Amino acid sequence: MAFPLAALVAGLLLATSELAYLGADARLTRLASMDQARYELLRVLRRVTDAESGERGYLLAGGPEYLAPYQSARADVFDSLHRLEQLYGDVGDAEAEAHRKRIAMLAVSKLSEIDEVLRLDASGSRGTAIEMVRTGIGRDQMEQLRQEVDALLRRQNEAGHATLGKVYDTLLLNRIGVAALTVIGLAVLAAFLRLSNLLDRQLAERQAEVRAERDRLELEVSARTADLTELARHLQTAREDERARLARDLHDELGALLTAAKLDVARIKPKLLQAAPDLQPRLTHLVEALNSGIALKRRIIEDLRPSTLNSLGLVPALEILCAESSERIGVPIHTRLQPVQLAPGADLVVFRVVQESLTNIAKYARASEVQVSLDTEDGEAVIEVNDDGAGFDISKSPAGSHGLFGMRFRVEAERGRLLVRSAPGRGTTLTARLPLAAPSAPDAPSDAAQDSA
């Protein structure tokens, strides 16, 4: 309600100021007209007096030069009377208009009396003309004219004072209006500043609350992320431990069974061949099946827990993995591997990332060439697997996305980053960045060494 009320008050003050201005302008115009009328009144009186003086001088001296002032004064009197009629018509004062009419009548009568005296003199009746002047008719007319002029001037002075008083009242009203508008403007400004300060404080409080809530959420997200990372690390460790246990069981139990079976076949083979030579193909097929089972067992164990990684290191393990994968999927795999010093447990992460990438390439990529590189850059180990296969739209969930999700968790659990670049028909590039080991890291036993132990 404050703004509409202030606007209404401002509108009223503006209308009042405008009306006051119009009123003051009209009154000042009237004062100007009255001043002009006063000038014309005095001019009429003066010119009539000049005409009378010219008449007297002519009668006394008889020179024609005295008629020139009379003639010019007579013309000026009629001009002034005409202007007075217009001016008092604009003023609109009935009493002043009555005085003006009497002044006009007396001035015309005086000029007529002068005309008559001069006419008599011009006709040769100078004595009659002088006698007419001595009658005092002209003097009485001049006296009445002066009285009427004085009365009209007094009337004009009174009206002028009244008009001037109204002008002062208008100016006072304007001053009051301007002062009121100024006070109201200051009050509105003060209210606006107060409200603005209040809004600023509220905004600052809200921003502080938002920052506090954001900080709290960031701390909570950081804590949850740390928990999830720790959980993911624990799950990966448990998974690798389970794989290691399963690999040991396969090696110890299944390996022992297959080896014992192969030894038994070798022991009974001579006797069976002597007793039934036709069983030779069957025994040969059985030995080949046992050899295939032993090879499958070894491959499964290597997939579950690469022994080459513990015994030979990361680079030889990756070379063996790439060679075996190239032979298995029938695609050439070019390697460019540089030794790197990673944090404990990160070697296995790199091996699993490359292993999972090659598995996805074999399943989905339909690639004709694969490149695997391992190098250092900006204090990080950079692992890159690139193929020229079918690719996929990374904005959608491609086949094998769970494998990518698992790889991302593995890498992030080691404080690394995983980036996948791909497009349909343009192949796929998978890049993992892992931090290098600290200088003191070689003294600490690695996870792989502990698992080996």
Side-chain angles (χ1 to χ4, degrees):
M1 294 297 292
F3 182 77
L5 181 60
L8 176 62
V9 173
L12 291 175
L13 290 174
L14 184 62
T16 303
S17 177
E18 187 65 20
L19 291 174
Y21 167 77
L22 294 176
D25 182 69
R27 292 184 180 95
L28 290 174
T29 302
R30 178 170 178 168
L31 284 175
S33 298
M34 293 173 66
D35 287 339
Q36 184 66 28
R38 181 181 296 105
Y39 169 76
E40 296 296 340
L41 280 174
L42 294 175
R43 191 163 185 267
V44 166
L45 182 60
R46 181 171 59 81
R47 298 305 283 168
V48 170
T49 303
D50 291 342
E52 185 182 38
S53 299
E55 172 206 18
R56 301 294 173 85
Y58 175 74
L59 290 177
L60 292 175
E65 65 274 9
Y66 289 99
L67 291 179
Y70 158 72
Q71 292 171 353
S72 63
R74 190 175 188 281
D76 290 341
V77 168
F78 283 104
D79 289 340
S80 296
L81 290 176
H82 179 69
R83 283 194 290 271
L84 283 173
E85 182 179 4
Q86 294 178 344
L87 291 171
Y88 279 103
D90 297 335
V91 171
D93 188 346
E95 184 177 350
E97 179 64 16
H99 284 293
R100 184 199 67 77
K101 289 180 178 180
R102 286 195 293 271
I103 289 171
M105 182 186 64
L106 290 172
V108 171
S109 298
K110 178 59 179 176
L111 292 176
S112 298
E113 184 263 336
I114 295 174
D115 290 341
E116 182 62 23
V117 170
L118 294 177
R119 187 187 63 79
L120 291 173
D121 181 73
S123 63
S125 303
R126 178 178 290 268
T128 305
I130 293 174
E131 287 297 329
M132 187 175 178
V133 172
R134 289 177 178 173
T135 59
I137 296 174
R139 185 179 63 253
D140 295 339
Q141 290 176 340
M142 285 297 299
E143 186 63 27
Q144 292 178 6
L145 180 61
R146 291 189 182 92
Q147 291 177 0
E148 288 295 332
V149 169
D150 290 341
L152 184 54
L153 289 175
R154 284 194 301 270
R155 175 66 184 173
Q156 285 189 190
N157 288 335
E158 293 173 358
H161 285 301
T163 302
L164 191 59
K166 292 180 180 180
V167 171
Y168 286 137
D169 293 341
T170 301
L171 294 176
L172 179 61
L173 181 62
N174 278 339
R175 291 180 62 188
I176 294 174
V178 170
L181 184 60
T182 302
V183 172
I184 292 174
L186 291 175
V188 172
L189 179 61
F192 173 77
L193 293 177
R194 181 175 178 275
L195 180 60
S196 178
N197 292 332
L198 179 61
L199 291 176
D200 290 341
R201 287 197 300 271
Q202 292 179 349
L203 180 60
E205 292 174 359
R206 296 295 182 274
Q207 289 177 346
E209 293 175 359
V210 170
R211 285 195 298 270
E213 183 66 15
R214 183 189 61 195
D215 294 341
R216 186 187 68 79
L217 291 176
E218 288 180 352
L219 290 175
E220 186 173 350
V221 168
S222 299
R224 295 292 178 86
T225 303
D227 293 342
L228 290 175
T229 302
E230 184 63 28
L231 178 60
R233 185 181 291 111
H234 171 71
L235 292 176
Q236 294 297 335
T237 302
R239 181 182 180 185
E240 293 298 332
D241 291 344
E242 183 63 21
R243 284 184 171 186
R245 185 191 65 77
L246 183 58
R248 286 192 298 269
D249 291 343
L250 288 174
H251 180 272
D252 295 341
E253 298 180 12
L254 182 59
L257 290 175
L258 292 175
T259 302
K262 187 176 180 180
L263 291 174
D264 289 341
V265 170
R267 281 195 296 265
I268 67 175
K269 181 178 179 180
K271 297 180 180 180
L272 287 175
L273 290 177
Q274 291 177 1
D278 58 334
L279 293 178
Q280 175 68 31
R282 296 286 182 181
L283 289 174
T284 302
H285 182 270
L286 178 59
V287 172
E288 291 176 353
L290 289 173
N291 289 333
S292 298
I294 293 172
L296 177 62
K297 181 263 299 182
R298 288 175 180 172
R299 188 167 64 250
I300 293 174
I301 290 174
E302 285 298 319
D303 288 340
L304 291 174
R305 185 69 177 182
S307 60
T308 56
L309 183 63
N310 295 332
S311 58
L312 301 178
L314 178 60
V315 171
L318 290 178
E319 291 176 345
I320 294 172
L321 173 64
C322 292
E324 292 179 350
S325 299
S326 176
E327 182 180 354
R328 185 174 67 254
I329 65 179
V331 174
I333 300 177
H334 306 286
T335 59
R336 185 173 58 84
L337 307 174
Q338 299 294 329
V340 295
Q341 186 66 34
L342 294 172
D347 288 352
L348 182 59
V349 173
V350 173
F351 184 87
R352 292 301 187 194
V353 167
V354 176
Q355 185 182 45
E356 184 68 26
S357 300
L358 296 177
T359 301
N360 290 336
I361 292 172
K363 289 181 179 179
Y364 313 109
R366 301 190 300 275
S368 61
E369 188 179 31
V370 180
Q371 295 181 355
V372 178
S373 66
L374 173 64
D375 206 343
T376 58
E377 181 180 329
D378 298 331
E380 293 179 322
V382 181
I383 306 96
E384 185 172 281
V385 181
N386 178 45
D387 69 78
D388 59 354
F392 60 93
D393 187 355
I394 60 176
S395 64
K396 300 178 181 178
S397 296
S401 60
H402 296 294
L404 292 175
F405 185 72
M407 282 190 283
R408 190 179 302 278
F409 258 107
R410 282 178 179 272
V411 172
E412 291 180 353
E414 295 296 331
R415 302 184 304 279
R417 305 187 306 279
L418 183 71
L419 176 64
V420 179
R421 298 190 301 273
S422 183
R426 297 186 178 181
T428 302
T429 300
L430 184 144
T431 305
R433 290 178 172 269
L434 291 167
L436 296 174
S440 59
D443 296 335
S446 65
D447 292 343
Q450 291 176 0
D451 291 341
S452 177

